[in-house]
Amino acid sequence: GAADVTIGLSPQSVASLEDDPNVKITANETTYAHRFGMANTKPPLDNVKFREALTHAVPYEAIIENVAFGYGDLYYGPFPPTMGEYNPDIATPREYDIEKAKTLIEESGVETPVDIEVVFQEGNTTHEQILTILQGEFSKIGVNLILKQLAAADFTNAVEGHEAQAHMRYDGTGVYDAGYFMGFDMVCALMDSYNVNEICIPGADDIIWEARQELDPEKRQEKWDQIQQMWVDNSPFIPVYLDVNTTVLADDIKEFVWSHMQELRFISK
């Protein structure tokens, strides 16, 4: 029989239904992004100018159009736009600019051509498509991206065991709280565990702690703005695009509520 609610379709499949009068499509931003992760302690990714160069060699709009079929959004910062602490004046999307990327490579002092091995999970065709595009673009600035496909368990071990130089991963937070998110995604103390990009920015840990303790909303946001600016200045990884969740509904469905929160204990009527 016909389905009333369909989840989990590929962006291409959803896009093919956009003109179907028998269905309705809901699209909602999530707190998860398709990330090109970079181990900030492993050469040449320990060079901030080099990392910044890579961020300008990503054709973001083209990837959203050709890989996500329009179901993605852009930002550049530690917090996705779905989080209240997100500041659009700081976390503006990075521009695709190959000439700027070439200039930054020269300023970095890294000799090219240079190899970077990036791991991704077997069977993830979205990430394989993104990486194939990046492979072509990065070659224009003298960076040879070596793609390594791993089985699920091996991929997890490589990323969370801090063996990978770079990785492609769908990542974010299921808990809608900046302190919780930065508490595992950025602090120096967790560089050998949850902080898989090995981000350690001098002074940032103290500000994160202060923000988590601050009760005044304006003062707390000021601290999160500091963190966002520090993060952007360090270009620690590349959120290629923010995932947009899609649900296909039968035309006679009158009400549907979607929540970005994966932690069910936070959901109530």
Side-chain angles (χ1 to χ4, degrees):
D4 290 325
V5 179
T6 305
I7 60 175
L9 293 179
S10 69
Q12 184 175 11
S13 296
V14 174
S16 72
L17 296 171
E18 289 174 347
D19 296 325
D20 190 328
N22 299 308
V23 300
K24 295 180 288 192
I25 297 170
T26 68
N28 299 277
E29 286 185 331
T30 71
T31 54
Y32 277 72
H34 295 275
R35 298 179 175 186
F36 181 86
M38 300 185 278
N40 286 203
T41 65
K42 295 179 175 59
L45 297 171
D46 58 344
N47 184 308
V48 66
K49 287 283 188 181
F50 183 85
R51 295 197 303 268
E52 185 181 357
L54 297 187
T55 71
H56 288 287
V58 178
Y60 300 98
E61 297 283 0
I63 289 173
I64 286 183
E65 180 181 352
N66 297 306
V67 178
F69 290 84
Y71 294 107
D73 287 320
L74 298 178
Y75 72 102
Y76 192 80
F79 307 130
T82 35
M83 297 189 72
E85 295 80 6
Y86 165 78
N87 186 332
D89 294 328
I90 299 173
T92 54
R94 283 276 160 96
E95 293 183 353
Y96 169 58
D97 188 335
I98 286 293
E99 293 308 313
K100 183 172 184 176
K102 288 178 180 178
T103 298
L104 287 165
I105 288 288
E106 290 179 6
E107 292 176 0
S108 76
V110 174
E111 293 187 12
T112 57
V114 62
D115 294 343
I116 294 179
E117 183 181 84
V118 54
V119 300
F120 67 102
Q121 187 168 314
E122 184 178 53
N124 193 321
T125 56
T126 296
H127 289 174
E128 187 170 11
Q129 290 177 67
I130 291 171
L131 290 174
T132 300
I133 293 170
L134 296 187
Q135 191 175 48
E137 295 297 330
F138 285 8
S139 68
K140 298 175 183 177
I141 60 173
V143 177
N144 302 320
L145 204 58
I146 301 169
L147 311 188
K148 186 174 182 180
Q149 187 172 212
L150 298 175
D154 293 332
F155 173 77
T156 299
N157 289 337
V159 175
E160 297 186 1
H162 295 260
E163 299 169 3
Q165 185 181 21
H167 64 273
M168 191 75 212
R169 180 158 127 158
Y170 182 70
D171 209 350
T173 179
V175 178
Y176 197 69
D177 179 79
Y180 174 88
F181 192 14
M182 294 300 96
F184 71 81
D185 207 46
M186 184 172 169
V187 298
C188 301
L190 296 179
M191 280 179 58
D192 60 350
S193 57
Y194 296 110
N195 182 353
V196 295
N197 292 292
E198 300 171 358
I199 305 168
C200 185
I201 302 172
D205 286 20
D206 289 340
I207 298 172
I208 290 172
W209 177 250
E210 290 167 6
R212 297 183 74 169
Q213 302 302 308
E214 180 58 63
L215 298 179
D216 182 277
E218 289 188 9
K219 291 180 180 179
R220 184 168 61 247
Q221 184 59 45
E222 288 175 3
K223 294 185 183 299
W224 288 130
D225 286 350
Q226 283 183 269
I227 289 298
Q228 289 177 85
Q229 191 62 63
M230 294 168 82
W231 192 101
V232 168
D233 291 343
N234 277 270
S235 304
F237 63 81
I238 307 172
V240 179
Y241 67 87
L242 182 70
D243 185 47
V244 172
N245 176 275
T246 56
T247 306
V248 178
L249 308 173
D251 189 51
D252 57 356
I253 296 295
K254 293 183 172 52
E255 183 178 3
F256 176 80
V257 177
W258 181 86
S259 174
H260 62 272
M261 292 187 182
Q262 298 183 13
E263 294 283 342
L264 298 181
R265 67 181 182 272
F266 293 116
I267 300 175
S268 63
K269 182 66 176 176

